[in-house]
Amino acid sequence: MNSRGDVITTVLLGLMLSLSLVSAGDIVHQDSVAPTRPGCENNFVLVKVPTWVNGVEATEYVGVGARFGPSLESKEKHATRTRVALADPPDCCSMPRNKLAGEVILVLRGNCSFTSKANIAEGANASAILIINNSKELFKMVCEENETDVTIGIPAVMLPQDAGESLQKDLKSNISVSVQLYSPLRPVVDVAEVFLWLMAVGTVLLASYWSAWTAREVAIEQDKLLKDGSDELLQMEATGSSGYIDINTTAAILFVVIASCFLVMLYKLMSAWFLDVLVVLFCIGGAEGLQTCLVALLSCFRWFEHAAESYIKVPFFGAVSHLTLAVSPFCISFAVLWACYRKRSFAWIGQDILGIALIVTVLQIVRVPNLKVGTVLLSCAFLYDIFWVFVSKWWFHESVMIVVARGDKSGEDGIPMLLKIPRMFDPWGGYSIIGFGDIILPGLLVAFSLRYDWLAKKKLRAGYFVWAMTAYGTGLLITYVALNLMDGHGQPALLYIVPFTLGTFLTLGKQRRDLKILWTRGEPERPCPHIQLQPSSQH
């Protein structure tokens, strides 16, 4: 395994940047396609349907509320437990033969409109209507264009086919079944979002310091070679062996184009087998990243110095340090174990560890050389985020990025190229997630700001890093505010992060009259003659 993983990380970069989204899972589904009119203008909300069989609490199902009818209670304690009755006829397209006394009526979909069923059920003295879909998915119930009687006084909820069949089976066996219908609201802020914000900001902070420290060490070494008149510096410049990749404006644009291609591919090909391919790629990149981070961390301790500085030739991989060989089996085993247990409730921990290690490694290897490249990259990413979250609905009739992030077409929790934490105090459960692109792309600019400050010997207040880091944290915070205002509907984080980070950098550079230097030259390649850098401490 290559100790730095340059090739694999570069290949994975386009795939990682394809997902740039903050989400908590929708409970309110705004829909601009389904028609609305007075009496038929409700949002489509998810509905909890807990059941009791012969007085004993049983399965809890999830349905979706209709465009019509009254709003449901948001708190369980205010929802009334009501007996369920089968419709006779089952489709409820004519007045039921059985007499109702405020029961919830269970009917089959089809043969007449949803509003007709609801009107007939209300006329038969039902307190609510549960409509069983003819598939396992949920369908949004709307009013027909030519219908006039849409003023309905009872709630209407659709259940998936398997849930409805289970209830039907119990009722046909003369078993007493009761339900509650309510649609709980999300908490204003969940602890998961706080921890996810800390993870993202902490990752950018750690990666920025590592990138700046490495750049300063290289600059000091080059300064020493320059003073000694060594030919080694000329050899390094001739071979271009810098250990990292500087992207240019063309590459910045291509990253976004490649990310778009990957996103469309994920949207079109998403399935169980394709998800397995993504898991394998993520494990390879995550193991590489974890290895790189562990080797760098252990190298700081005196006990591991010799192992980190002594090398052995390995076929195909070339010279590899003994420390890398010692760490690699653990990293590979960790990634394999996560892949084997990735469907377990605790698997998010391993995914986040591998993800953070991979992000930090990418931000260490890939660098923005100046503000011009950073501006092009983030501007393209800004437009990319808006297009694939919002504009893509016009072509695909759904948000491509949200569908990919949630894994709607694979039956899974989504692709692994994201950080996630389970929502702790949310009655709907689920995960709060953030895509790798929301950390890597602005992280490139933040890391550049710290490298510039250190190499240009800028003091804390006169530098740009503190402002860039604060802008990133603030932009991400605003993203979560927007997320909660939209009831968990996925938000393009770069829509908020880019104006804060890039806008702050450009404004500050112009005020300080550094913009020309930042825009073209960027960070110094090596210390200027009049700048004296202190020798680095041994690690």
Side-chain angles (χ1 to χ4, degrees), residues 115-409:
T115 51
S116 296
K117 295 177 187 290
N119 274 316
I120 292 170
E122 184 180 8
N125 202 28
S127 60
I129 180 171
L130 292 177
I131 301 177
I132 304 172
N133 197 17
N134 50 20
S135 66
K136 293 183 179 180
E137 291 75 29
L138 292 172
F139 184 82
K140 295 176 179 178
M141 298 183 289
V142 299
C143 306
E144 300 292 338
E145 292 184 5
N146 57 352
E147 289 181 319
T148 56
D149 190 6
V150 295
T151 306
I152 297 167
I154 62 172
V157 176
M158 174 163 282
L159 289 177
Q161 187 178 39
D162 51 353
E165 288 177 349
S166 178
L167 294 176
Q168 270 187 313
K169 182 179 178 181
D170 289 337
L171 291 170
K172 287 179 179 179
S173 301
N174 294 321
I175 296 174
S176 173
V177 178
S178 301
V179 297
Q180 278 184 316
L181 303 177
Y182 65 104
S183 181
L185 303 174
R186 288 193 182 279
V188 177
V189 177
D190 192 87
V191 178
E193 294 169 358
V194 177
F195 282 113
L196 203 59
W197 183 89
L198 291 172
M199 282 172 56
V201 172
T203 300
V204 172
L205 186 67
L206 174 63
S208 298
Y209 269 96
W210 188 11
S211 179
W213 179 83
T214 304
R216 186 171 64 175
E217 292 292 299
V218 171
I220 292 172
E221 185 65 26
Q222 289 179 344
D223 190 44
K224 289 180 179 178
L225 294 175
L226 186 63
K227 289 180 179 179
D228 296 340
S230 173
D231 294 335
E232 187 176 345
L233 178 61
L234 297 176
Q235 294 174 2
M236 288 174 60
E237 292 179 344
T239 58
S241 57
S242 58
Y244 55 84
I245 303 168
D246 267 345
I247 61 176
N248 53 31
T249 52
T250 303
I253 297 172
L254 282 177
F255 275 144
V256 177
V257 173
I258 293 171
S260 296
C261 295
F262 269 121
L263 190 64
V264 173
M265 184 174 64
L266 291 170
Y267 176 75
K268 293 293 186 180
L269 300 179
M270 185 63 72
S271 60
W273 70 266
F274 192 69
L275 191 66
D276 290 337
V277 173
L278 296 181
V279 168
V280 171
L281 292 175
F282 176 73
C283 286
I284 294 173
E288 287 276 1
L290 187 60
Q291 172 199 276
T292 302
C293 293
L294 286 178
V295 169
L297 179 63
L298 294 175
S299 299
C300 297
F301 296 94
R302 187 172 301 175
W303 305 288
F304 299 100
E305 279 186 2
H306 179 71
E309 295 173 357
S310 58
Y311 294 83
I312 184 173
K313 285 188 176 181
V314 178
F316 182 74
F317 294 106
V320 179
S321 71
H322 288 92
L323 183 58
T324 299
L325 286 177
V327 167
S328 293
F330 168 78
C331 298
I332 295 172
S333 300
F334 188 91
V336 170
L337 284 173
W338 171 81
C340 294
Y341 293 98
R342 63 188 174 85
K343 295 183 181 180
R344 300 291 182 88
S345 59
F346 55 81
W348 63 273
I349 301 174
Q351 180 171 326
D352 288 351
I353 292 173
L354 292 172
I356 290 173
L358 180 55
I359 292 170
V360 170
T361 302
V362 169
L363 290 176
Q364 164 67 10
I365 295 172
V366 182
R367 297 185 178 184
V368 170
N370 53 50
L371 189 55
K372 177 183 177 181
V373 174
T375 300
V376 172
L377 179 64
L378 289 184
S379 298
C380 291
F382 176 79
L383 298 175
Y384 164 89
D385 237 17
I386 294 174
F387 179 86
W388 288 112
V389 175
F390 297 129
V391 183
S392 62
K393 294 179 182 179
W394 297 347
W395 279 273
F396 299 92
H397 305 295
E398 57 187 351
S399 174
V400 172
M401 193 178 294
I402 291 177
V403 169
V404 171
R406 292 191 309 212
D408 289 356
K409 297 187 176 183

Side-chain angles (χ1 to χ4, degrees), residues 44-55:
F44 298 107
V45 297
L46 293 180
V47 180
K48 283 185 177 288
V49 188
T51 63
W52 286 262
V53 176
N54 286 332

Side-chain angles (χ1 to χ4, degrees), residues 80-103:
T80 305
R81 188 193 302 183
T82 310
R83 285 174 61 95
V84 181
L86 275 175
D88 183 18
D91 57 14
C92 198
C93 288
S94 59
M95 190 60 66
R97 300 184 184 95
N98 50 333
K99 293 183 179 181
L100 302 177
E103 290 92 346

